[in-house]
Amino acid sequence: MLKIIFVTVFIAAPFTAMAQTSPENNAQPSGDAGHGKILFISDGCSECHGTVGQGGVGPHLAPKPLPAEAIASYIRHPAGVMPPYAASVVSDADVADIASYLRSVPAQPKLGSLPELND
Ligand code: HEC
């Protein structure tokens, strides 16, 4: 028993702590859709692009969003009325999460495929 406690506290714990704090661990090329949804709303993107990126004042971004790199380069230097977002405000990792969220939005069903509309 004591040996297990020793192994957990003195050997495993430092590795766990390292895993949580190492910068490599924060690199998420595929993005975290759940966190991306929170950011999409808290960063204000949803105000103009709709809660699920369906469009509004701004164009629709989902269900087939631009790649994360293209979104990042656009939001840093928008061409029209959209306000710019510096990397210090919305990091590349945040953009990867936002892109992942937008990719997770299901496509709208085709109108003719809804039974309610075919009665
Ligand atoms: C104040 C409204 C507003 C906010 C807030 C906003 N956008 Fe936009 N966005 C626009 C408009 C309008 C456009 C169309 C081009 C332009 O005017 O810049 C656009 C264009 C874009 C485009 C290019 C789309 C394309 O198909 O070329 C991307 C990507 C984008 N926005 C992402 C975002 C993200 C991500 C956020 C949040 C970090 C955000 N926007 C916040 C209004 C907004």
Side-chain angles (χ1 to χ4, degrees):
M1 182 63 183
L2 259 181
K3 193 173 172 191
I4 292 171
I5 292 171
F6 175 81
V7 167
T8 311
V9 175
F10 293 98
I11 297 179
F15 285 107
T16 311
M18 270 168 60
Q20 283 165 352
T21 52
S22 78
E24 295 83 37
N25 207 41
N26 292 334
Q28 297 171 334
S30 55
D32 174 342
H35 188 233
K37 179 178 185 173
I38 293 168
L39 293 170
F40 194 72
I41 292 166
S42 64
D43 287 336
C45 319
S46 62
E47 304 261 340
C48 295
H49 292 284
T51 321
V52 293
Q54 78 274 24
V57 176
H60 73 92
L61 302 177
K64 290 199 176 106
L66 295 167
E69 302 73 39
I71 296 177
S73 80
Y74 189 82
I75 71 171
R76 309 264 184 262
H77 309 284
V81 299
M82 181 175 143
Y85 287 82
S88 56
V89 178
V90 181
S91 69
D92 286 351
D94 287 351
V95 174
D97 290 353
I98 288 171
S100 172
Y101 166 58
L102 294 171
R103 276 197 304 275
S104 77
V105 172
Q108 296 290 314
K110 292 222 163 46
L111 274 183
S113 72
L114 297 174
E116 295 85 347
L117 298 178
N118 290 327
D119 286 342

